[in-house]
Amino acid sequence: MAGASLDRRAALAALGAGLAFGCAAPGFARHFEKEDRRMTRFALATRATPEGARPTIRVGDAFHDLHAAADAHGFAAVAGDVSAIIRDWDARREGLFALARALDGTAGGIEAPALAAPFEPRRIFAAASNFIEHADEMKTKLAAKAESEPYIFLKTVESVVGPNETVVVPPQVSRPDWEVELGVVLGRAGKHVAAADAHDLIAGYTIVNDVSARDRTRRSDFPFSHDWFRGKSFDSFTPLGPVFVPRDCLGDPHDIRLGLKVNGEAMQDGNTSEMIFNIYEQIAYLSTILELRAGDLIASGTPAGVGMGRGVFLKDGDVMDAWVEGIGELRNPVSAPHLPRA
């Protein structure tokens, strides 16, 4: 295990990845030096009910209806649907932490809620080949980090589905694949943001499964060899959830285990410390192109273990379980009748 770790660090060093280990970089560690031991950790979710979607707050293992809890404890101003809360994060953050303290240790009253996608992203950005072993398994030749920038593409908001919703593989796709990623949710706008200041734009985190049609990301009918839009944005190809965890409830985003199982078999098991371009660098890079907005979502890259590297792809009836330490597990079944099990 120690040898594998040294090999990974050597490979990253060869890429010139001086900042690849996130908060080890000067100026980044300051955000995590003073943890408030009195902080009550919580998560926000959206649950499906016969009356429609309802915002929900989880404190400990207890789920509470957000509107009812906020009214009961005098915090009505912080309530709203989760999308609206995230887009107004600076104004509601402190009130939500106060509400979580008031709810800590109380019974939630909601047993086994049917969770939907926690919020609707304003835009979805996704980082490609951002873990060295994943780039290796995809046979992607990377330039030295000092001579490169993050490679980020867009996914459509309409491709989002929530926990336990079915990923529907269209008949023209023959090699559907999985990619677990830490989803970074922005709660503040920013343009030309320095990497050292990018932490301040983050509202929190969630899990993203960047489902990919490997046979549709390449083209031979045009002089342009790749088609990321076609391979990544089919309806239902962005499972999201199960909850939104505020930034301060997760801690250092560059030291988090994440992985994915298919039918209970472990496929991916990595750590965000292995990123080539860390989250702050991704935010800084994007902010040189456009103004980032509250509600934007960044899928920050996937570790090794995807189907393409194994020569194994999703089939009809498969079940994917993506997990991120400190957030939870995101389960989604697969429907692909044209791809029956072997």
Side-chain angles (χ1 to χ4, degrees):
M1 195 71 177
S5 177
L6 288 172
D7 288 346
R8 177 180 300 117
R9 288 175 183 268
L12 285 168
L15 282 172
L19 296 180
F21 293 97
C23 293
F28 291 164
R30 63 184 175 84
H31 299 297
F32 307 102
E33 290 172 352
K34 296 180 180 179
E35 181 181 349
D36 185 354
R37 299 294 179 183
R38 299 167 298 172
M39 180 181 68
T40 300
R41 288 169 168 77
F42 70 95
L44 297 178
T46 298
R47 73 186 196 282
T49 75
E51 294 76 35
R54 294 285 297 182
T56 306
I57 184 169
R58 187 189 71 193
V59 181
D61 294 327
F63 287 90
H64 308 257
D65 183 88
L66 180 59
H67 286 159
D71 286 343
H73 291 274
F75 292 101
V78 305
D81 68 77
V82 181
S83 298
I85 289 172
I86 290 170
R87 295 184 187 194
D88 191 30
W89 185 248
D90 281 348
R92 306 200 199 198
R93 176 187 175 280
E94 292 302 325
L96 286 164
F97 273 97
L99 175 60
R101 287 194 294 272
L103 294 171
D104 194 17
T106 66
I110 302 174
E111 299 294 334
L115 298 183
F119 73 103
E120 181 179 310
R122 185 187 293 272
R123 294 172 294 195
I124 304 172
F125 305 98
S129 293
N130 197 39
F131 284 66
I132 185 65
E133 287 98 339
H134 174 57
D136 286 346
E137 71 180 349
M138 298 295 288
K139 297 179 172 50
T140 302
K141 185 177 180 180
L142 299 176
K145 182 179 177 183
E147 301 169 3
S148 184
E149 293 178 312
Y151 189 109
I152 297 181
F153 59 94
L154 282 163
K155 294 196 77 168
T156 60
V157 173
E158 290 77 13
S159 67
V160 168
V161 292
N164 298 307
E165 289 192 68
T166 300
V167 171
V168 179
V169 180
Q172 67 267 42
V173 173
S174 61
R175 294 194 292 174
D177 203 348
W178 57 83
E179 291 189 7
V180 63
E181 312 206 10
L182 176 64
V184 181
V185 185
L186 302 188
R188 185 182 295 179
K191 185 78 184 286
H192 299 298
V193 178
D197 299 323
H199 173 268
D200 296 333
L201 268 65
I202 299 172
Y205 305 94
T206 189
I207 303 173
V208 177
N209 185 351
D210 176 22
V211 178
S212 306
R214 299 298 186 192
D215 54 313
R216 307 298 289 175
T217 56
R218 297 293 183 99
R219 297 188 69 151
S220 59
D221 56 337
F222 274 82
F224 321 115
S225 59
H226 288 78
D227 191 336
W228 291 91
F229 170 75
R230 187 174 72 170
K232 297 282 192 174
S233 284
F234 287 105
D235 289 341
S236 78
F237 269 35
T238 311
L240 179 68
V243 296
F244 160 84
V245 175
R247 178 191 71 198
D248 300 319
C249 296
L250 196 65
D252 183 354
H254 299 110
D255 187 18
I256 297 173
R257 281 185 66 198
L258 71 170
L260 186 141
K261 298 176 286 185
V262 177
N263 303 328
E265 181 181 354
M267 296 294 177
Q268 294 180 277
D269 189 348
N271 192 292
T272 56
S273 64
E274 301 159 8
M275 289 181 181
I276 298 170
F277 292 98
N278 66 42
I279 290 165
Y280 306 147
E281 292 169 318
Q282 293 179 47
I283 291 172
Y285 167 73
L286 279 168
S287 76
T288 66
I289 299 171
L290 43 67
E291 183 179 21
L292 294 168
R293 302 288 182 86
D296 285 344
L297 172 67
I298 302 172
S300 56
T302 196
V306 300
M308 186 72 173
R310 298 169 176 270
V312 177
F313 299 97
L314 294 167
K315 301 294 185 184
D316 188 46
D318 283 348
V319 176
M320 299 178 289
D321 289 292
W323 56 268
V324 174
E325 186 178 56
I327 298 177
E329 188 171 279
L330 174 63
R331 168 169 286 196
N332 294 94
V334 177
S335 174
H338 62 296
L339 300 174
R341 294 180 184 275

